[in-house]
Amino acid sequence: MAAEMTIDVTKTFPGRAPIQARLRYAVEASTVLILFGPSGSGKTTILRSIAGLEWPEDGRIEFVSRTWLDTRSRIRVSPQDRHIGYMPQDYALFPTYSVVGNIGYGLGALESHDRNKRITEVVELFQLQGLEAAKPRELSGGQQQRVALARAVAPRPQLLLLDEPLSALDAPTRLQLRGELRSLLKQLALPSIVVTHDWAEALTLGDVMAVMDEGQVHQVGKPHEVFSRPADANVARIVGVETVVHGQVIENVNGLATVTVNGTRLKGLSNDAIGAGVYVCIRAEDVVVEQAGSGMTSARNHLTGLVSEIAPQGVMVHVKIDCGFPLTATITRGAVEDLRLSPGVSVIAAIKAGAVHLVPRSVA
Ligand code: ADP
Ligand code: MG
């Protein structure tokens, strides 16, 4: 039987609706689960319950062959005995400890020779050489993030929990560290759970993704499948990007990349080199639908396609267009009538290059 993680817990904070999360997924050596959802949906509570820092009043948590929590059998394994590395959203570095002091914090059980050896290894792995004696306040945001990760990983945990690991960083640093974090997580060969509400992060880092809203898990699946095939309108609203398809960069001129998706060419912004595999991500509201044969627009992409489906979504309508790959546009009901749209009608989908988001696709 494949190794699994099972979470089935109820946690109620006074005066609030209960958080009732159920989730089960296969765990391999380096599986990254993404917990995705809006602020307040219960992501941190679930992570803290897995870490043993929050006690659900009811339920079970099982990791591979170990039961960490089972309220019916009164099993409550302590946080220490779970061997988990946990990185909270604000990092929670010890301000008066040096980098080495922070990293060595969880290594108290080791002889001092072994402890120092492990610290040196981890300092190298996270490229913190030269900063050993620095205090957290002397470090940049990106360096603090690496120290926090190094501290979580140093005791060789069997599971790593990262709560919005990149959210405290400025946008350029976040973009750079997103790629680094992906290679690091694969290199560590350590199952991890990463909380985020950023879809590019979910696509870059995740193998499996669970979408949470109002304390419940609404969908579990591969990230690109969840994005392109949300289980219901609620999940679609939460994930907020309706088209996610595989593409390949075939040209790149100063960051304006041309990608092919199933033979259809698209322009988007990316620094990826020719040959790179990417996820092409397009939000439905960024697609302008025009009658075939109509005039020019400023958009870089004009894709010819046939309407395959028209699905009302509240006041808006989702128009699915087959243009070599399935593309979703969201337009008003009035526009559907004006353009006389129905299945089989030929249209042009116009998309600005800036709205074609290209997210690097790792070759796992
Ligand atoms: P997320 O990490 O997805 O933003 P949280 O797990 O932090 O969500 O919070 C989920 C809900 O539980 C929110 O309504 C939040 O206000 C509430 N909550 C979280 N921690 C506490 C706490 N210690 N006391 C009371 N309410 C809490
Ligand atoms: Mg949170």
Side-chain angles (χ1 to χ4, degrees):
M1 200 180 73
E4 283 187 332
M5 170 119 198
T6 306
I7 301 160
D8 183 354
V9 294
T10 304
K11 169 79 192 173
T12 313
F13 290 111
R16 301 202 180 256
I19 293 170
Q20 283 180 306
R22 301 184 67 175
L23 165 67
R24 169 186 268 199
Y25 69 99
V27 178
E28 284 170 30
S30 61
T31 306
V32 179
L33 169 77
I34 300 288
L35 271 186
F36 189 94
S39 187
S41 56
K43 306 181 298 296
T44 296
T45 303
I46 296 310
L47 216 57
R48 287 174 50 82
S49 302
I50 296 169
L53 303 170
E54 203 78 76
W55 295 101
E57 67 262 19
D58 189 31
R60 276 176 320 129
I61 300 177
E62 284 163 17
F63 178 73
V64 189
S65 57
R66 297 288 311 274
T67 301
W68 284 336
L69 177 77
D70 188 343
T71 49
R72 281 184 203 158
S73 323
R74 297 177 190 274
I75 297 174
R76 278 175 159 229
V77 175
S78 73
Q80 301 79 310
D81 290 337
R82 295 185 191 193
H83 303 289
I84 285 176
Y86 173 55
M87 184 173 121
Q89 195 177 350
D90 61 1
Y91 308 151
L93 292 172
F94 302 115
T96 58
Y97 284 24
S98 65
V99 166
V100 160
N102 270 282
I103 295 175
Y105 179 77
L107 302 176
L110 298 182
E111 300 282 334
S112 82
H113 171 263
D114 292 337
R115 184 163 64 236
N116 291 336
K117 184 158 165 270
R118 181 63 181 151
I119 290 173
T120 308
E121 271 172 22
V122 172
V123 162
E124 272 173 31
L125 177 64
F126 288 86
Q127 295 166 18
L128 292 163
Q129 298 97 322
L131 296 170
E132 288 90 341
K135 297 281 165 58
R137 65 170 182 280
E138 298 164 322
L139 304 174
S140 70
Q143 288 167 340
Q144 288 181 24
Q145 192 258 13
R146 295 216 298 275
V147 175
L149 250 163
R151 183 180 61 180
V153 162
R156 302 185 195 279
Q158 54 176 339
L159 175 67
L160 183 62
L161 308 178
L162 308 178
D163 199 347
E164 306 206 19
L166 304 174
S167 68
L169 306 168
D170 56 73
T173 314
R174 195 158 65 222
L175 192 64
Q176 188 202 336
L177 289 192
R178 198 166 78 198
E180 287 180 16
L181 187 56
R182 169 82 199 183
S183 1
L184 185 85
L185 291 178
K186 287 294 154 197
Q187 193 183 338
L188 290 170
L190 176 64
S192 34
I193 303 182
V194 179
V195 167
T196 184
H197 54 238
D198 178 314
W199 54 264
E201 256 169 65
L203 279 168
T204 311
L205 302 174
D207 298 304
V208 199
M209 162 168 161
V211 180
M212 289 194 70
D213 189 36
E214 297 187 343
Q216 297 195 359
V217 176
H218 288 255
Q219 189 173 358
V220 181
K222 291 196 171 130
H224 70 273
E225 288 173 4
V226 174
F227 282 104
S228 46
R229 286 197 291 281
D232 53 43
N234 200 25
V235 173
R237 176 183 55 76
I238 293 164
V239 298
V241 47
E242 290 77 2
T243 300
V244 179
V245 286
H246 289 173
Q248 192 168 34
V249 176
I250 55 166
E251 187 184 76
N252 196 332
V253 182
N254 300 326
L256 181 64
T258 307
V259 290
T260 53
V261 181
N262 250 350
T264 300
R265 289 180 178 214
L266 275 160
K267 291 200 189 294
L269 306 183
S270 158
N271 292 320
D272 290 303
I274 293 171
V278 288
Y279 287 115
V280 178
C281 311
I282 303 169
R283 302 189 63 170
E285 66 206 41
D286 290 331
V287 180
V288 175
V289 182
E290 300 165 358
Q291 265 164 345
S294 55
M296 285 290 289
T297 68
S298 66
R300 289 299 85 197
N301 298 293
H302 292 91
L303 309 178
T304 312
L306 294 179
V307 172
S308 61
E309 192 186 327
I310 296 189
Q313 297 279 330
V315 289
M316 302 298 282
V317 175
H318 270 179
V319 179
K320 303 236 163 100
I321 305 164
D322 180 3
C323 38
F325 62 93
L327 175 71
T328 304
T330 183
I331 61 179
T332 61
R333 285 167 192 264
V336 172
E337 286 167 21
D338 291 350
L339 294 165
R340 297 199 171 87
L341 297 185
S342 60
V345 166
S346 175
V347 290
I348 295 190
I351 317 161
K352 290 183 177 177
V356 177
H357 303 279
L358 303 176
V359 175
R361 182 151 60 98
S362 61
V363 215

